[in-house]
Each structure stands twice: as structure tokens, then as C-alpha cells.
Amino acid sequence: MSYELKFEDNIAIFTFKYGKVNAVTTDTLQGLNQLVDRVNEEEELKGIVITGDGRYFSGGFDLETFT
């Protein structure tokens, strides 16, 4: 999986976790889209924090995936 999702105090924490620079894949985009829908639908969820694993937030789109 190219991301990790966890919940703390009704806040979703979405962490990019793909390759050395946390590249964005179609899996990442689908997961983030589903999470946004979920937060909009479930009143107890208060928001989303998006972060990157390790040293980098994200190096952008995974070129192999999007070319």
C-alpha cells in the first residue's frame, strides 16, 4: 500500500508511504478520495491531516504510474 491511514481523536491521519520520496500513485489518490468522502459523511470525524513518512512530504506523482 502506498499510504497509511490511522485515526486519533476523530482526526484522520493520512501518511504518504511510497518509495524514497513518498511518491503519489493511483492507489494513493483513490485512498485519499475515499477518505475525503468518509470525513464528509461521518459527522464524528473532524478533519484530515496529510503528512509524509520520514524526511519527505512527497516528491510528487510517481512517474512510472502516470506516464
Side-chain angles (χ1 to χ4, degrees):
M1 187 169 285
S2 61
Y3 64 90
E4 176 181 272
L5 177 60
K6 61 184 177 180
F7 296 89
E8 293 182 16
D9 298 322
N10 292 328
I11 302 288
I13 302 171
F14 188 96
T15 305
F16 294 126
K17 293 186 85 143
Y18 185 76
K20 294 178 184 177
V21 294
N22 302 319
V24 176
T25 66
T26 53
D27 180 53
T28 309
L29 293 176
Q30 290 170 349
L32 191 54
N33 187 49
Q34 290 171 357
L35 178 60
V36 169
D37 288 343
R38 183 174 172 187
V39 170
N40 284 329
E41 292 169 2
E42 297 179 26
E43 193 165 316
E44 66 274 6
L45 294 177
K46 300 174 186 175
I48 303 169
V49 173
I50 301 173
T51 187
D53 185 45
R55 196 171 166 188
Y56 301 102
F57 172 71
S58 177
F61 290 109
D62 178 44
L63 295 178
E64 289 183 21
T65 300
F66 292 98
T67 53

